[in-house]
Amino acid sequence: MFSDIAPLLIVAVAIILLLGLIMWLKLNTFVSLIITAMVTGIMLGMPLSKIIGTIETGMGSTLGHIALIFGLGAMLGKLLADGGGATRIAHTLINKFGQKRIQWAVVTASFIIGIALFFEVGLVLLIPIVFTIAKESKVSTLYLGIPMTAALSVTHGFLPPHPGPVMIAKEFGAEIGQVLIFGIIVAIPVTIIAGPIFTKFARKIIPEAFTKSGDLASLGKQKSFKIEETPGFAISALTALLPVFIMLVSTVVDLVTGSPENPEGILGFISFIGEAGTAMLISVLFAIYSMGINRGYKVNQVMDTLTNAIYPIGMMLLIIGGGGAFKQILIDGGVGKTVEELFTGSAMSPILLAWIVAAVLRISLGSATVAAISTVGIVMPLLESSDVNLALVVLATGAGSVIASHVNDAGFWMFKEYFGLTMKETFLSWTLLETVISVSGIIFLLFISLFV
């Protein structure tokens, strides 16, 4: 029996080791992650000759996914900030919604942006705007950051065209339209609960975190503007939302045409520019003009802005890569296989089982996408003899895959570094936030299953 759950116990020991290195020995976070990944690989019985290769693969796959987006997103955000666009957007939202409802402005904008963008893209786009709004409103960045990340995370876990829900729906044979409809029905109340409502709770349990201004160094030196010196709201909003529009058009075309595997001609071109990296590059080039040259800045000044955008994110990228290395060690070390064996042959409701399996995999492995995809193979046999609504099983898998993000997830480190939090504060804000999203999501889904 012990050998059956040994990998899960090793995961627990590894997490304790990582926390000890960072919190008690005060070791650099990236170094701590790499040490923990190595020790975990040894404890899981991986051949010593494979451990470094696995760490490199984990770093490469994680940074390969987000480094391009992260770098271009940092440039776009810096251009918006230095060109005055972020200040104009912040002023306009504050004036339209009012100081008391500024959280709702942020959560609404984040939800809309989150539908079209990957979590990481939405985060790097919104961070400079949220920081500017917080500064102008004289509120904590975390006060606005929690609703922002709640909206982005909910859309990432529940709504097509995000890769998780789309891939799961395809594997289960669920109707993508139903997934989208039920996803929106669940996503809106979950975002409200995990955003503005949870923020009130978080302020009581970690009040010191709400006194911090966030890690503005990650955005570089900030310029101050008088409102009359800033560009118009329309051009500022277009610059910020251009990648959203580009990806949204590509997504709509994919849905209408059925997403051919290797599109050619005009469909191939639309699919190409709709890729996150291409859309971000186009948006940066547009921002060079709209926030730079069109504002009277010289080309060398604009290029200095791009350079200054990249310097501060170096350590953050290493930390995120270190989280990816730790995640890969857990995957290659067989932790996912252990979870699969635990749940094989279960007679539980497919909706609840999908959520539990995805949750355990998420906590064990760190990757929401890997957890969701792995859950499909475990739950699939149960669906053959069940009349459960497949769209609800898809959404339950998505809900489980976002639970309790912690040290083996890149999102944990992004949130911690951007908002300048301690490990304890990150657990009590980000990790708890993701858990609220997951638990409230499955509750709503089980309620809906009573009627469909």
Side-chain angles (χ1 to χ4, degrees):
M1 178 63 185
F2 176 78
S3 60
D4 293 339
I5 62 169
L8 296 180
L9 296 177
I10 289 171
V11 172
V13 171
I15 292 168
I16 293 170
L17 170 64
L18 179 60
L19 295 178
L21 292 174
I22 295 171
M23 298 174 72
W24 298 320
L25 295 184
K26 307 296 183 185
L27 210 56
N28 174 271
T29 302
F30 171 69
V31 174
S32 299
L33 281 163
I34 299 303
I35 291 172
T36 303
M38 286 183 176
V39 172
T40 304
I42 294 170
M43 290 193 294
L44 287 170
M46 293 179 67
L48 295 180
S49 59
K50 301 283 187 183
I51 290 176
I52 291 297
T54 299
I55 288 172
E56 291 172 349
T57 299
M59 282 197 70
S61 62
T62 300
L63 293 179
H65 171 60
I66 69 169
L68 178 64
I69 294 168
F70 219 65
L72 291 171
M75 290 179 182
L76 181 58
K78 188 66 173 162
L79 285 165
L80 270 169
D82 284 5
T87 301
R88 170 64 74 172
I89 292 170
H91 268 280
T92 303
L93 287 176
I94 292 167
N95 291 337
K96 292 292 184 184
F97 278 82
Q99 185 76 36
K100 291 183 178 179
R101 293 189 296 274
I102 196 61
Q103 260 196 335
W104 292 99
V106 169
V107 81
T108 302
S110 302
F111 191 88
I112 293 169
I113 288 173
I115 290 174
L117 299 188
F118 295 149
F119 175 84
E120 295 88 351
V121 184
L123 189 62
V124 295
L125 276 179
L126 286 169
I127 278 288
I129 296 173
V130 165
F131 275 30
T132 305
I133 294 174
K135 183 180 177 182
E136 297 286 340
S137 303
K138 296 180 175 58
V139 297
S140 161
T141 52
L142 195 60
Y143 177 76
L144 301 180
I146 288 177
M148 175 194 71
T149 48
L152 293 176
S153 190
V154 167
T155 54
H156 178 75
F158 290 102
L159 300 182
H162 286 274
V166 170
M167 282 188 287
I168 307 165
K170 199 169 186 179
E171 292 295 323
F172 281 148
E175 171 57 49
I176 197 74
Q178 281 195 19
V179 175
L180 183 58
I181 292 168
F182 288 133
I184 290 173
I185 291 171
V186 172
I188 292 172
V190 168
T191 300
I192 293 169
I193 292 168
I197 293 175
F198 173 72
T199 305
K200 293 180 180 178
F201 173 74
R203 289 180 90 170
K204 294 179 181 177
I205 59 173
I206 45 170
E208 63 280 3
F210 285 82
T211 63
K212 298 180 177 180
S213 59
D215 185 13
L216 290 171
S218 64
L219 302 177
K221 187 178 179 181
Q222 300 297 293
K223 290 185 178 180
S224 296
F225 292 91
K226 295 178 181 178
I227 191 63
E228 59 269 16
E229 297 172 343
T230 61
F233 177 74
I235 191 68
S236 300
L238 176 61
T239 303
L241 295 175
L242 187 59
V244 180
F245 294 146
I246 294 172
M247 288 190 226
L248 191 56
V249 168
S250 176
T251 299
V252 170
V253 170
D254 281 348
L255 290 173
V256 170
T257 60
S259 300
E261 191 167 332
N262 293 302
E264 297 178 349
I266 187 66
L267 291 181
F269 177 74
I270 292 172
S271 177
F272 171 68
I273 65 170
E275 292 282 348
T278 314
M280 292 297 289
L281 177 59
I282 293 170
S283 302
V284 167
L285 293 174
F286 180 76
I288 288 172
Y289 171 76
S290 65
M291 295 290 118
I293 295 169
N294 191 48
R295 300 278 300 142
Y297 294 109
K298 295 179 181 177
V299 173
N300 64 323
Q301 290 177 299
V302 180
M303 293 306 107
D304 284 343
T305 291
L306 299 188
T307 302
N308 292 333
I310 295 302
Y311 286 145
I313 66 172
M315 181 52 70
M316 188 184 295
L317 282 172
L318 280 179
I319 290 170
I320 293 168
F326 183 30
K327 172 203 73 178
Q328 196 65 41
I329 285 285
L330 298 176
I331 293 171
D332 289 3
V335 175
K337 189 69 176 174
T338 299
V339 175
E340 181 179 345
E341 291 170 357
L342 283 175
F343 288 101
T344 299
S346 173
M348 193 181 297
S349 158
I351 294 175
L352 191 57
L353 179 66
W355 181 78
I356 293 173
V357 172
V360 173
L361 284 167
R362 158 70 156 182
I363 294 167
S364 303
L365 303 177
S367 169
T369 304
V370 171
I373 294 170
S374 302
T375 299
V376 173
I378 300 171
V379 176
M380 187 77 81
L382 277 177
L383 300 179
E384 297 172 4
S385 58
S386 172
D387 60 354
V388 68
N389 186 290
L390 294 176
L392 297 183
V393 181
V394 171
L395 293 169
T397 305
S401 73
V402 300
I403 199 170
S405 165
H406 60 95
V407 293
N408 57 5
D409 177 34
F412 177 93
W413 300 108
M414 291 171 72
F415 190 88
K416 176 185 180 297
E417 296 300 313
Y418 265 133
F419 292 100
L421 304 178
T422 65
M423 292 292 288
K424 176 185 174 182
E425 289 165 350
T426 312
F427 279 117
L428 292 176
S429 53
W430 169 251
T431 304
L432 205 49
L433 161 68
E434 292 285 272
T435 304
V436 169
I437 290 171
S438 181
V439 173
S440 58
I442 188 61
I443 290 172
F444 279 114
L445 288 168
L446 289 172
F447 179 73
I448 292 172
S449 72
L450 298 175
F451 305 98
V452 297

